[in-house]
Amino acid sequence: MTDYDLSGGQVVRFEMRPKDKAVSLRLPEKLLEAVRGEAKREGIPYQRFIRMAIETALHRVARK
């Protein structure tokens, strides 16, 4: 691996766990636009961005 320059690489997060429940969520249009914009900037689907934000928030709460 030392023969390869990986400095331009990007961390990729794989989701292996199956999703077995669907949720419908109403958001203000501006908030949804902001979420979609951030997800696009991160290069991930917006629903995955929302799921990751929820997971991050729950991890913070669990540490307290």
Side-chain angles (χ1 to χ4, degrees), residues 3-62:
D3 294 338
Y4 300 100
D5 178 14
L6 302 176
S7 62
Q10 185 176 352
V11 175
V12 177
R13 179 178 170 183
F14 292 99
E15 295 191 2
M16 301 296 189
R17 291 174 278 157
K19 285 100 182 142
D20 54 358
K21 298 289 180 183
V23 176
S24 177
L25 180 66
R26 294 190 178 274
L27 299 173
E29 186 173 354
K30 288 190 178 205
L31 178 57
L32 182 56
E33 288 173 5
V35 166
R36 285 183 168 160
E38 285 298 309
K40 185 175 182 179
R41 189 177 66 75
E42 295 276 332
I44 60 175
Y46 78 94
Q47 289 181 344
R48 184 179 306 162
F49 182 87
I50 292 170
R51 192 166 47 252
M52 289 170 57
I54 292 170
E55 289 174 355
T56 299
L58 289 175
H59 280 96
R60 285 186 193 144
V61 170

